[in-house]
Amino acid sequence: MSKPGQQVISRLRQMILSGELESGQRLAEIPTSEQLGVSRTPVRIAFRNLEQEGLLTKLSGRGYIVRQVTQLEISGSIEVRGVLEGLAARQAAENALSAAETEELIQLLKQGDALFEIGTINENDLTKYHDINQRFHQIIITASQNPAIVEALSRNEHLPFASVSALAFDRNNLKQEYRRFNFAHMQHHAVFDAISKGQGSRAEAIMREHANATLGYAKTFSQMEKSGDKMHIIQSK
């Protein structure tokens, strides 16, 4: 996917997470592209991807609609992902990585190191991290040699914030975002170390914790619900 397309997806996710996009609000390509200052193409791509993630409902005519979801929906889908990816990491450790898989994972870790070594992060960095993160997870899932995990993850990814690609980025809190993504990258180092050493139980535990770090989204929804404020998300049929 193009960088503009990925950045628009991330920005829309954050707008949803912050409540800027309200429940029942209709979204259309032209107004959204004007609001974000981009062409219609990346907006169209973003809408389609968010629909696939379970964050967007396509209307029978044109456009999409936003609806509210609960923190239980988010936490449930993320916990399931943690179980599945934890199993994948354990089986990858038990199977042993191939030389090609090992080399590519090492290169991805080096790319991440270079990304975070300057001590700050921006939207362009997030786009790079998205690709690194997605490929890192894909290799581990493939290394599990378990087609059932692939199928189960594919189904689960249609739920809100369950996909490993469902990253949101708060441009108003760059220090926090740097800490969050740098910590996730350090977890990549830890799970690779465990898999490389054949430590299946350790690899599984780290990968489950890695997925559950995303539960911060669900906690945000929970806090908003308790305070009586509104938090909204786009969801598919």
Side-chain angles (χ1 to χ4, degrees):
M1 182 185 300
S2 67
K3 184 168 72 172
Q6 187 57 54
Q7 289 180 348
V8 169
I9 293 173
S10 176
R11 291 179 66 181
L12 286 174
R13 283 200 202 100
Q14 186 59 36
M15 291 168 71
I16 296 163
L17 194 61
S18 68
E20 186 175 346
L21 294 177
E22 297 185 352
S23 178
Q25 181 175 340
R26 296 186 63 168
L27 301 178
E29 288 181 16
I30 295 177
T32 302
S33 64
E34 292 176 348
Q35 180 181 4
L36 299 181
V38 298
S39 67
R40 294 176 61 182
T41 299
V43 171
R44 186 180 305 117
I45 292 171
F47 283 174
R48 290 174 180 171
N49 277 268
L50 291 172
E51 181 182 14
Q52 291 175 359
E53 290 178 15
L55 303 179
L56 190 78
T57 297
K58 186 169 176 40
L59 297 173
S60 56
R62 290 187 175 183
Y64 298 80
I65 192 169
V66 179
R67 88 162 176 86
Q68 186 176 3
V69 298
T70 68
Q71 61 94 11
L72 290 177
E73 290 179 82
I74 300 174
S75 61
S77 60
I78 293 173
E79 286 175 354
V80 168
R81 191 185 101 202
V83 171
L84 293 170
E85 291 198 329
L87 176 60
R90 177 168 66 81
Q91 293 185 334
E94 293 169 350
N95 295 333
L97 296 169
S98 68
E101 289 168 340
T102 298
E103 178 58 28
E104 186 170 3
L105 287 172
I106 289 173
Q107 291 304 315
L108 290 169
L109 290 173
K110 288 181 178 179
Q111 290 172 28
D113 291 342
L115 193 65
F116 293 106
E117 68 180 357
I118 61 174
T120 60
I121 193 171
N122 57 39
E123 197 166 7
N124 288 331
D125 295 329
L126 177 64
T127 301
K128 296 176 183 177
Y129 176 77
H130 168 274
D131 294 340
I132 293 170
N133 182 60
Q134 187 174 53
R135 183 56 185 157
F136 186 90
H137 284 251
Q138 286 174 344
I139 294 172
I140 291 175
I141 292 167
T142 300
S144 74
Q145 301 178 29
N146 189 337
I149 294 177
V150 177
E151 177 64 24
L153 281 171
S154 177
R155 292 176 181 274
N156 192 60
E157 285 180 353
H158 293 287
L159 299 174
F161 285 96
S163 172
V164 69
S165 299
L167 301 179
F169 182 71
D170 187 355
R171 292 181 294 169
N172 296 318
N173 198 339
L174 297 181
K175 288 184 179 180
Q176 173 183 292
E177 295 298 73
Y178 173 81
R179 290 193 296 268
R180 182 161 69 97
F181 288 108
N182 186 49
F183 177 70
H185 179 62
M186 290 301 101
Q187 288 180 316
H188 282 181
H189 273 283
V191 75
F192 172 72
D193 180 71
I195 292 173
S196 298
K197 293 177 179 177
Q199 299 171 343
S201 295
R202 177 176 167 237
E204 180 174 17
I206 296 170
M207 203 63 163
R208 289 186 68 164
E209 174 59 28
H210 182 55
N212 287 336
T214 313
L215 286 173
Y217 293 141
K219 291 178 181 177
T220 299
F221 273 74
S222 179
Q223 291 168 358
M224 295 291 284
E225 289 172 354
K226 289 178 181 178
S227 68
D229 292 330
K230 291 183 178 179
M231 180 65 76
H232 308 280
I233 203 162
I234 298 176
Q235 188 183 38
S236 66
K237 301 178 187 177

Short mmCIF file of all heavy atoms in Angstrom, two decimals, residues 135-197:
data_model
loop_
_atom_site.label_atom_id
_atom_site.label_comp_id
_atom_site.label_asym_id
_atom_site.label_seq_id
_atom_site.Cartn_x
_atom_site.Cartn_y
_atom_site.Cartn_z
N ARG A 135 5.22 -7.57 8.63
CA ARG A 135 6.06 -8.63 8.08
C ARG A 135 6.63 -9.51 9.19
O ARG A 135 6.71 -10.74 9.05
CB ARG A 135 7.20 -8.03 7.24
CG ARG A 135 8.09 -9.07 6.57
CD ARG A 135 7.29 -10.02 5.71
NE ARG A 135 8.12 -11.10 5.17
CZ ARG A 135 7.65 -12.27 4.78
NH1 ARG A 135 6.35 -12.54 4.86
NH2 ARG A 135 8.47 -13.20 4.30
N PHE A 136 7.02 -8.91 10.31
CA PHE A 136 7.57 -9.67 11.44
C PHE A 136 6.55 -10.71 11.91
O PHE A 136 6.88 -11.88 12.11
CB PHE A 136 7.91 -8.71 12.58
CG PHE A 136 8.61 -9.35 13.74
CD1 PHE A 136 10.00 -9.43 13.78
CD2 PHE A 136 7.90 -9.89 14.80
CE1 PHE A 136 10.66 -10.02 14.85
CE2 PHE A 136 8.54 -10.48 15.88
CZ PHE A 136 9.92 -10.55 15.91
N HIS A 137 5.32 -10.28 12.08
CA HIS A 137 4.27 -11.19 12.53
C HIS A 137 3.98 -12.27 11.48
O HIS A 137 3.75 -13.43 11.83
CB HIS A 137 3.00 -10.41 12.86
CG HIS A 137 3.05 -9.67 14.15
ND1 HIS A 137 2.34 -10.03 15.27
CD2 HIS A 137 3.76 -8.57 14.52
CE1 HIS A 137 2.59 -9.21 16.27
NE2 HIS A 137 3.45 -8.30 15.84
N GLN A 138 3.99 -11.88 10.21
CA GLN A 138 3.70 -12.84 9.15
C GLN A 138 4.72 -13.97 9.13
O GLN A 138 4.35 -15.14 8.94
CB GLN A 138 3.71 -12.13 7.79
CG GLN A 138 2.48 -11.26 7.54
CD GLN A 138 2.60 -10.48 6.24
OE1 GLN A 138 3.69 -10.34 5.66
NE2 GLN A 138 1.48 -9.95 5.76
N ILE A 139 5.99 -13.63 9.33
CA ILE A 139 7.04 -14.66 9.30
C ILE A 139 6.84 -15.66 10.44
O ILE A 139 6.96 -16.87 10.25
CB ILE A 139 8.43 -14.01 9.39
CG1 ILE A 139 8.71 -13.19 8.13
CG2 ILE A 139 9.52 -15.08 9.57
CD1 ILE A 139 9.97 -12.35 8.22
N ILE A 140 6.53 -15.16 11.62
CA ILE A 140 6.34 -16.04 12.77
C ILE A 140 5.13 -16.95 12.55
O ILE A 140 5.17 -18.15 12.86
CB ILE A 140 6.19 -15.22 14.06
CG1 ILE A 140 7.53 -14.56 14.40
CG2 ILE A 140 5.73 -16.11 15.22
CD1 ILE A 140 7.48 -13.64 15.59
N ILE A 141 4.06 -16.39 12.02
CA ILE A 141 2.86 -17.19 11.76
C ILE A 141 3.16 -18.27 10.72
O ILE A 141 2.76 -19.43 10.86
CB ILE A 141 1.70 -16.29 11.31
CG1 ILE A 141 1.26 -15.40 12.48
CG2 ILE A 141 0.52 -17.13 10.80
CD1 ILE A 141 0.35 -14.26 12.08
N THR A 142 3.89 -17.91 9.67
CA THR A 142 4.28 -18.89 8.65
C THR A 142 5.18 -19.96 9.24
O THR A 142 5.03 -21.15 8.94
CB THR A 142 5.00 -18.19 7.49
OG1 THR A 142 4.14 -17.22 6.89
CG2 THR A 142 5.43 -19.20 6.43
N ALA A 143 6.09 -19.55 10.12
CA ALA A 143 7.04 -20.48 10.73
C ALA A 143 6.35 -21.48 11.66
O ALA A 143 6.91 -22.53 11.97
CB ALA A 143 8.12 -19.71 11.49
N SER A 144 5.13 -21.17 12.09
CA SER A 144 4.39 -22.10 12.94
C SER A 144 3.98 -23.35 12.17
O SER A 144 3.72 -24.40 12.77
CB SER A 144 3.14 -21.43 13.52
OG SER A 144 2.13 -21.30 12.53
N GLN A 145 3.90 -23.21 10.83
CA GLN A 145 3.50 -24.31 9.95
C GLN A 145 2.12 -24.86 10.33
O GLN A 145 1.86 -26.05 10.20
CB GLN A 145 4.55 -25.43 9.97
CG GLN A 145 5.94 -24.97 9.53
CD GLN A 145 6.97 -26.08 9.60
OE1 GLN A 145 6.65 -27.26 9.46
NE2 GLN A 145 8.22 -25.70 9.83
N ASN A 146 1.26 -23.96 10.77
CA ASN A 146 -0.08 -24.36 11.22
C ASN A 146 -1.13 -23.56 10.45
O ASN A 146 -1.45 -22.43 10.81
CB ASN A 146 -0.22 -24.12 12.72
CG ASN A 146 -1.50 -24.70 13.29
OD1 ASN A 146 -2.48 -24.91 12.58
ND2 ASN A 146 -1.51 -24.96 14.59
N PRO A 147 -1.71 -24.13 9.40
CA PRO A 147 -2.71 -23.43 8.60
C PRO A 147 -3.95 -23.01 9.39
O PRO A 147 -4.61 -22.03 9.05
CB PRO A 147 -3.09 -24.45 7.52
CG PRO A 147 -1.93 -25.39 7.46
CD PRO A 147 -1.42 -25.47 8.86
N ALA A 148 -4.25 -23.74 10.46
CA ALA A 148 -5.43 -23.41 11.28
C ALA A 148 -5.27 -22.05 11.95
O ALA A 148 -6.24 -21.31 12.12
CB ALA A 148 -5.66 -24.49 12.33
N ILE A 149 -4.03 -21.70 12.31
CA ILE A 149 -3.77 -20.40 12.92
C ILE A 149 -4.02 -19.29 11.91
O ILE A 149 -4.63 -18.27 12.22
CB ILE A 149 -2.33 -20.32 13.46
CG1 ILE A 149 -2.15 -21.29 14.62
CG2 ILE A 149 -1.99 -18.90 13.90
CD1 ILE A 149 -0.74 -21.34 15.18
N VAL A 150 -3.56 -19.50 10.70
CA VAL A 150 -3.76 -18.52 9.62
C VAL A 150 -5.24 -18.29 9.39
O VAL A 150 -5.71 -17.14 9.29
CB VAL A 150 -3.09 -18.99 8.32
CG1 VAL A 150 -3.36 -17.99 7.19
CG2 VAL A 150 -1.59 -19.15 8.53
N GLU A 151 -6.01 -19.36 9.32
CA GLU A 151 -7.45 -19.25 9.08
C GLU A 151 -8.15 -18.55 10.24
O GLU A 151 -9.01 -17.68 10.04
CB GLU A 151 -8.04 -20.66 8.88
CG GLU A 151 -9.55 -20.69 8.69
CD GLU A 151 -10.01 -19.98 7.43
OE1 GLU A 151 -9.20 -19.87 6.48
OE2 GLU A 151 -11.18 -19.54 7.37
N ALA A 152 -7.80 -18.91 11.47
CA ALA A 152 -8.45 -18.31 12.64
C ALA A 152 -8.12 -16.83 12.75
O ALA A 152 -8.99 -16.01 13.08
CB ALA A 152 -8.02 -19.05 13.90
N LEU A 153 -6.89 -16.45 12.47
CA LEU A 153 -6.50 -15.04 12.52
C LEU A 153 -7.22 -14.25 11.44
O LEU A 153 -7.62 -13.10 11.66
CB LEU A 153 -4.98 -14.91 12.35
CG LEU A 153 -4.13 -15.19 13.58
CD1 LEU A 153 -2.65 -15.23 13.22
CD2 LEU A 153 -4.37 -14.13 14.66
N SER A 154 -7.39 -14.85 10.27
CA SER A 154 -8.09 -14.17 9.18
C SER A 154 -9.52 -13.83 9.58
O SER A 154 -10.01 -12.73 9.28
CB SER A 154 -8.09 -15.07 7.93
OG SER A 154 -8.81 -14.47 6.89
N ARG A 155 -10.17 -14.73 10.27
CA ARG A 155 -11.54 -14.47 10.73
C ARG A 155 -11.56 -13.41 11.82
O ARG A 155 -12.40 -12.51 11.82
CB ARG A 155 -12.17 -15.77 11.24
CG ARG A 155 -12.41 -16.81 10.17
CD ARG A 155 -12.94 -18.10 10.78
NE ARG A 155 -13.16 -19.13 9.76
CZ ARG A 155 -14.27 -19.26 9.05
NH1 ARG A 155 -15.28 -18.43 9.26
NH2 ARG A 155 -14.39 -20.21 8.15
N ASN A 156 -10.63 -13.51 12.75
CA ASN A 156 -10.60 -12.60 13.89
C ASN A 156 -10.26 -11.17 13.48
O ASN A 156 -10.69 -10.20 14.12
CB ASN A 156 -9.57 -13.09 14.92
CG ASN A 156 -9.68 -12.36 16.24
OD1 ASN A 156 -10.71 -12.39 16.90
ND2 ASN A 156 -8.60 -11.70 16.64
N GLU A 157 -9.51 -11.00 12.40
CA GLU A 157 -9.06 -9.68 11.97
C GLU A 157 -10.19 -8.79 11.48
O GLU A 157 -9.99 -7.59 11.27
CB GLU A 157 -7.98 -9.81 10.89
CG GLU A 157 -6.64 -10.24 11.45
CD GLU A 157 -5.58 -10.37 10.38
OE1 GLU A 157 -5.94 -10.24 9.19
OE2 GLU A 157 -4.41 -10.60 10.73
N HIS A 158 -11.37 -9.34 11.31
CA HIS A 158 -12.51 -8.54 10.88
C HIS A 158 -13.22 -7.88 12.07
O HIS A 158 -14.22 -7.20 11.89
CB HIS A 158 -13.50 -9.39 10.08
CG HIS A 158 -12.95 -9.85 8.77
ND1 HIS A 158 -12.79 -8.99 7.70
CD2 HIS A 158 -12.49 -11.06 8.34
CE1 HIS A 158 -12.27 -9.66 6.67
NE2 HIS A 158 -12.09 -10.91 7.04
N LEU A 159 -12.67 -8.08 13.27
CA LEU A 159 -13.23 -7.46 14.47
C LEU A 159 -12.44 -6.20 14.82
O LEU A 159 -11.25 -6.07 14.45
CB LEU A 159 -13.19 -8.46 15.64
CG LEU A 159 -14.00 -9.75 15.40
CD1 LEU A 159 -13.76 -10.73 16.55
CD2 LEU A 159 -15.47 -9.43 15.26
N PRO A 160 -13.03 -5.25 15.55
CA PRO A 160 -12.39 -3.96 15.84
C PRO A 160 -11.02 -4.07 16.51
O PRO A 160 -10.88 -4.71 17.56
CB PRO A 160 -13.40 -3.26 16.77
CG PRO A 160 -14.71 -3.86 16.40
CD PRO A 160 -14.41 -5.29 16.08
N PHE A 161 -10.02 -3.47 15.90
CA PHE A 161 -8.66 -3.38 16.42
C PHE A 161 -7.99 -4.72 16.65
O PHE A 161 -7.01 -4.82 17.39
CB PHE A 161 -8.62 -2.53 17.70
CG PHE A 161 -8.74 -1.07 17.43
CD1 PHE A 161 -9.97 -0.44 17.52
CD2 PHE A 161 -7.64 -0.30 17.07
CE1 PHE A 161 -10.11 0.92 17.26
CE2 PHE A 161 -7.75 1.05 16.82
CZ PHE A 161 -9.00 1.66 16.91
N ALA A 162 -8.50 -5.79 16.02
CA ALA A 162 -7.92 -7.11 16.21
C ALA A 162 -6.74 -7.36 15.27
O ALA A 162 -5.89 -8.19 15.55
CB ALA A 162 -8.98 -8.18 16.00
N SER A 163 -6.70 -6.67 14.16
CA SER A 163 -5.64 -6.90 13.18
C SER A 163 -4.32 -6.30 13.65
O SER A 163 -4.27 -5.24 14.27
CB SER A 163 -6.02 -6.27 11.84
OG SER A 163 -4.92 -6.32 10.95
N VAL A 164 -3.23 -7.02 13.36
CA VAL A 164 -1.90 -6.51 13.70
C VAL A 164 -1.61 -5.21 12.96
O VAL A 164 -0.77 -4.40 13.36
CB VAL A 164 -0.82 -7.57 13.39
CG1 VAL A 164 -0.69 -7.77 11.88
CG2 VAL A 164 0.52 -7.20 14.00
N SER A 165 -2.33 -4.97 11.87
CA SER A 165 -2.14 -3.76 11.07
C SER A 165 -2.94 -2.57 11.61
O SER A 165 -2.77 -1.45 11.12
CB SER A 165 -2.56 -4.01 9.62
OG SER A 165 -1.77 -5.02 9.04
N ALA A 166 -3.81 -2.81 12.58
CA ALA A 166 -4.70 -1.75 13.06
C ALA A 166 -3.98 -0.84 14.05
O ALA A 166 -4.20 -0.88 15.26
CB ALA A 166 -5.94 -2.36 13.71
N LEU A 167 -3.11 0.01 13.52
CA LEU A 167 -2.35 0.94 14.36
C LEU A 167 -2.95 2.33 14.29
O LEU A 167 -3.33 2.80 13.24
CB LEU A 167 -0.89 1.00 13.88
CG LEU A 167 -0.11 -0.32 13.87
CD1 LEU A 167 1.29 -0.07 13.34
CD2 LEU A 167 -0.06 -0.94 15.26
N ALA A 168 -3.05 2.96 15.45
CA ALA A 168 -3.48 4.36 15.52
C ALA A 168 -2.32 5.17 16.08
O ALA A 168 -1.48 4.65 16.82
CB ALA A 168 -4.70 4.49 16.42
N PHE A 169 -2.25 6.44 15.73
CA PHE A 169 -1.10 7.27 16.08
C PHE A 169 -1.60 8.64 16.52
O PHE A 169 -2.26 9.33 15.77
CB PHE A 169 -0.19 7.40 14.87
CG PHE A 169 1.06 8.20 15.12
CD1 PHE A 169 2.09 7.70 15.90
CD2 PHE A 169 1.22 9.46 14.55
CE1 PHE A 169 3.24 8.43 16.12
CE2 PHE A 169 2.37 10.19 14.75
CZ PHE A 169 3.39 9.68 15.54
N ASP A 170 -1.31 9.00 17.77
CA ASP A 170 -1.73 10.28 18.31
C ASP A 170 -0.63 11.32 18.07
O ASP A 170 0.38 11.36 18.76
CB ASP A 170 -2.00 10.15 19.81
CG ASP A 170 -2.60 11.41 20.41
OD1 ASP A 170 -2.71 12.42 19.69
OD2 ASP A 170 -2.95 11.38 21.60
N ARG A 171 -0.84 12.17 17.08
CA ARG A 171 0.16 13.18 16.73
C ARG A 171 0.27 14.27 17.79
O ARG A 171 1.21 15.07 17.75
CB ARG A 171 -0.18 13.79 15.38
CG ARG A 171 -0.04 12.82 14.21
CD ARG A 171 -0.37 13.48 12.90
NE ARG A 171 -1.78 13.86 12.80
CZ ARG A 171 -2.28 14.63 11.85
NH1 ARG A 171 -1.50 15.11 10.91
NH2 ARG A 171 -3.57 14.92 11.83
N ASN A 172 -0.66 14.31 18.74
CA ASN A 172 -0.61 15.32 19.80
C ASN A 172 0.14 14.83 21.04
O ASN A 172 0.27 15.57 22.01
CB ASN A 172 -2.05 15.71 20.21
CG ASN A 172 -2.80 16.36 19.06
OD1 ASN A 172 -2.24 17.19 18.34
ND2 ASN A 172 -4.06 15.99 18.88
N ASN A 173 0.61 13.60 21.01
CA ASN A 173 1.35 13.06 22.15
C ASN A 173 2.50 12.20 21.64
O ASN A 173 2.52 10.98 21.80
CB ASN A 173 0.41 12.23 23.04
CG ASN A 173 0.97 12.01 24.42
OD1 ASN A 173 2.18 12.12 24.64
ND2 ASN A 173 0.12 11.69 25.38
N LEU A 174 3.47 12.84 21.01
CA LEU A 174 4.55 12.12 20.34
C LEU A 174 5.46 11.37 21.31
O LEU A 174 5.97 10.29 20.99
CB LEU A 174 5.38 13.11 19.51
CG LEU A 174 4.63 13.81 18.37
CD1 LEU A 174 5.57 14.73 17.61
CD2 LEU A 174 4.01 12.79 17.42
N LYS A 175 5.68 11.92 22.51
CA LYS A 175 6.53 11.23 23.48
C LYS A 175 5.91 9.90 23.89
O LYS A 175 6.59 8.88 23.99
CB LYS A 175 6.75 12.11 24.71
CG LYS A 175 7.67 13.30 24.46
CD LYS A 175 7.92 14.07 25.75
CE LYS A 175 8.88 15.23 25.50
NZ LYS A 175 9.14 16.00 26.75
N GLN A 176 4.62 9.93 24.15
CA GLN A 176 3.93 8.70 24.53
C GLN A 176 3.96 7.69 23.40
O GLN A 176 4.18 6.49 23.63
CB GLN A 176 2.47 9.01 24.89
CG GLN A 176 1.63 7.76 25.14
CD GLN A 176 0.18 8.12 25.42
OE1 GLN A 176 -0.14 8.70 26.45
NE2 GLN A 176 -0.71 7.78 24.48
N GLU A 177 3.74 8.15 22.18
CA GLU A 177 3.72 7.25 21.03
C GLU A 177 5.09 6.64 20.80
O GLU A 177 5.20 5.47 20.44
CB GLU A 177 3.24 7.99 19.79
CG GLU A 177 1.79 8.45 19.87
CD GLU A 177 0.83 7.29 20.03
OE1 GLU A 177 0.78 6.70 21.14
OE2 GLU A 177 0.13 6.96 19.08
N TYR A 178 6.15 7.43 21.01
CA TYR A 178 7.50 6.87 20.86
C TYR A 178 7.72 5.74 21.86
O TYR A 178 8.21 4.66 21.51
CB TYR A 178 8.57 7.96 21.08
CG TYR A 178 9.96 7.38 21.09
CD1 TYR A 178 10.62 7.08 19.91
CD2 TYR A 178 10.60 7.08 22.30
CE1 TYR A 178 11.89 6.51 19.92
CE2 TYR A 178 11.86 6.51 22.32
CZ TYR A 178 12.49 6.23 21.12
OH TYR A 178 13.73 5.65 21.13
N ARG A 179 7.33 5.97 23.11
CA ARG A 179 7.51 4.94 24.14
C ARG A 179 6.71 3.68 23.80
O ARG A 179 7.18 2.55 23.96
CB ARG A 179 7.09 5.47 25.51
CG ARG A 179 8.03 6.52 26.09
CD ARG A 179 7.75 6.76 27.55
NE ARG A 179 6.41 7.31 27.77
CZ ARG A 179 6.15 8.61 27.82
NH1 ARG A 179 7.14 9.49 27.68
NH2 ARG A 179 4.93 9.05 28.02
N ARG A 180 5.49 3.89 23.32
CA ARG A 180 4.61 2.76 23.02
C ARG A 180 5.17 1.88 21.90
O ARG A 180 5.26 0.66 22.04
CB ARG A 180 3.22 3.28 22.64
CG ARG A 180 2.20 2.18 22.34
CD ARG A 180 0.78 2.72 22.43
NE ARG A 180 0.46 3.65 21.36
CZ ARG A 180 -0.19 3.29 20.25
NH1 ARG A 180 -0.54 2.04 20.06
NH2 ARG A 180 -0.49 4.19 19.33
N PHE A 181 5.57 2.51 20.80
CA PHE A 181 6.04 1.72 19.67
C PHE A 181 7.45 1.18 19.88
O PHE A 181 7.79 0.09 19.41
CB PHE A 181 5.96 2.54 18.38
CG PHE A 181 4.55 2.75 17.90
CD1 PHE A 181 3.93 3.98 18.00
CD2 PHE A 181 3.83 1.69 17.37
CE1 PHE A 181 2.63 4.17 17.58
CE2 PHE A 181 2.52 1.85 16.93
CZ PHE A 181 1.91 3.10 17.05
N ASN A 182 8.28 1.92 20.62
CA ASN A 182 9.61 1.42 20.92
C ASN A 182 9.53 0.19 21.83
O ASN A 182 10.28 -0.78 21.66
CB ASN A 182 10.44 2.52 21.59
CG ASN A 182 11.88 2.09 21.80
OD1 ASN A 182 12.54 1.60 20.89
ND2 ASN A 182 12.39 2.29 23.01
N PHE A 183 8.59 0.23 22.79
CA PHE A 183 8.39 -0.93 23.66
C PHE A 183 7.93 -2.14 22.85
O PHE A 183 8.41 -3.26 23.07
CB PHE A 183 7.34 -0.60 24.73
CG PHE A 183 7.02 -1.75 25.63
CD1 PHE A 183 7.94 -2.20 26.56
CD2 PHE A 183 5.79 -2.39 25.55
CE1 PHE A 183 7.65 -3.28 27.39
CE2 PHE A 183 5.49 -3.46 26.37
CZ PHE A 183 6.42 -3.90 27.31
N ALA A 184 7.04 -1.93 21.90
CA ALA A 184 6.58 -3.02 21.05
C ALA A 184 7.74 -3.61 20.26
O ALA A 184 7.85 -4.83 20.08
CB ALA A 184 5.49 -2.52 20.09
N HIS A 185 8.63 -2.74 19.80
CA HIS A 185 9.80 -3.22 19.06
C HIS A 185 10.73 -4.03 19.96
O HIS A 185 11.29 -5.04 19.52
CB HIS A 185 10.55 -2.03 18.46
CG HIS A 185 11.78 -2.42 17.70
ND1 HIS A 185 11.74 -3.22 16.58
CD2 HIS A 185 13.10 -2.13 17.92
CE1 HIS A 185 12.97 -3.41 16.13
NE2 HIS A 185 13.81 -2.76 16.92
N MET A 186 10.88 -3.62 21.21
CA MET A 186 11.71 -4.38 22.14
C MET A 186 11.10 -5.77 22.39
O MET A 186 11.83 -6.76 22.58
CB MET A 186 11.85 -3.62 23.46
CG MET A 186 12.68 -2.35 23.39
SD MET A 186 14.40 -2.65 22.84
CE MET A 186 14.29 -2.17 21.09
N GLN A 187 9.78 -5.85 22.37
CA GLN A 187 9.13 -7.14 22.50
C GLN A 187 9.43 -8.02 21.28
O GLN A 187 9.53 -9.24 21.41
CB GLN A 187 7.62 -6.97 22.67
CG GLN A 187 7.23 -6.41 24.04
CD GLN A 187 5.73 -6.24 24.19
OE1 GLN A 187 5.06 -5.76 23.28
NE2 GLN A 187 5.20 -6.63 25.33
N HIS A 188 9.56 -7.41 20.11
CA HIS A 188 9.96 -8.17 18.93
C HIS A 188 11.33 -8.81 19.15
O HIS A 188 11.54 -9.98 18.82
CB HIS A 188 10.02 -7.26 17.71
CG HIS A 188 8.68 -6.93 17.13
ND1 HIS A 188 8.54 -6.12 16.00
CD2 HIS A 188 7.42 -7.28 17.49
CE1 HIS A 188 7.26 -6.01 15.71
NE2 HIS A 188 6.55 -6.70 16.60
N HIS A 189 12.25 -8.04 19.70
CA HIS A 189 13.57 -8.58 20.01
C HIS A 189 13.46 -9.77 20.96
O HIS A 189 14.12 -10.80 20.77
CB HIS A 189 14.45 -7.50 20.64
CG HIS A 189 15.19 -6.65 19.66
ND1 HIS A 189 16.32 -7.08 19.00
CD2 HIS A 189 14.96 -5.38 19.22
CE1 HIS A 189 16.77 -6.12 18.21
NE2 HIS A 189 15.96 -5.07 18.32
N ALA A 190 12.63 -9.63 21.99
CA ALA A 190 12.50 -10.68 23.01
C ALA A 190 11.90 -11.95 22.44
O ALA A 190 12.36 -13.06 22.73
CB ALA A 190 11.67 -10.16 24.18
N VAL A 191 10.85 -11.80 21.63
CA VAL A 191 10.21 -13.00 21.09
C VAL A 191 11.13 -13.69 20.08
O VAL A 191 11.17 -14.93 20.00
CB VAL A 191 8.84 -12.67 20.47
CG1 VAL A 191 8.98 -11.97 19.11
CG2 VAL A 191 8.00 -13.94 20.33
N PHE A 192 11.89 -12.92 19.31
CA PHE A 192 12.85 -13.53 18.37
C PHE A 192 13.92 -14.30 19.13
O PHE A 192 14.30 -15.41 18.74
CB PHE A 192 13.50 -12.45 17.50
CG PHE A 192 14.63 -12.98 16.65
CD1 PHE A 192 14.37 -13.79 15.55
CD2 PHE A 192 15.95 -12.68 16.95
CE1 PHE A 192 15.40 -14.29 14.77
CE2 PHE A 192 16.99 -13.17 16.17
CZ PHE A 192 16.72 -13.98 15.08
N ASP A 193 14.38 -13.73 20.23
CA ASP A 193 15.40 -14.41 21.03
C ASP A 193 14.86 -15.74 21.55
O ASP A 193 15.56 -16.76 21.51
CB ASP A 193 15.79 -13.51 22.21
CG ASP A 193 16.85 -14.15 23.09
OD1 ASP A 193 18.02 -14.24 22.64
OD2 ASP A 193 16.52 -14.55 24.23
N ALA A 194 13.62 -15.73 22.03
CA ALA A 194 13.02 -16.96 22.57
C ALA A 194 12.83 -18.01 21.47
O ALA A 194 13.13 -19.19 21.67
CB ALA A 194 11.69 -16.64 23.23
N ILE A 195 12.33 -17.59 20.32
CA ILE A 195 12.11 -18.53 19.22
C ILE A 195 13.43 -19.10 18.74
O ILE A 195 13.55 -20.32 18.50
CB ILE A 195 11.36 -17.84 18.06
CG1 ILE A 195 9.93 -17.49 18.47
CG2 ILE A 195 11.34 -18.74 16.82
CD1 ILE A 195 9.17 -16.67 17.44
N SER A 196 14.43 -18.26 18.61
CA SER A 196 15.75 -18.70 18.12
C SER A 196 16.38 -19.74 19.04
O SER A 196 17.11 -20.62 18.59
CB SER A 196 16.69 -17.49 17.99
OG SER A 196 16.20 -16.56 17.07
N LYS A 197 16.08 -19.62 20.34
CA LYS A 197 16.66 -20.55 21.31
C LYS A 197 15.76 -21.76 21.57
O LYS A 197 16.05 -22.59 22.44
CB LYS A 197 16.92 -19.81 22.62
CG LYS A 197 18.01 -18.75 22.50
CD LYS A 197 18.19 -17.97 23.80
CE LYS A 197 19.29 -16.93 23.66
NZ LYS A 197 19.45 -16.11 24.89
#
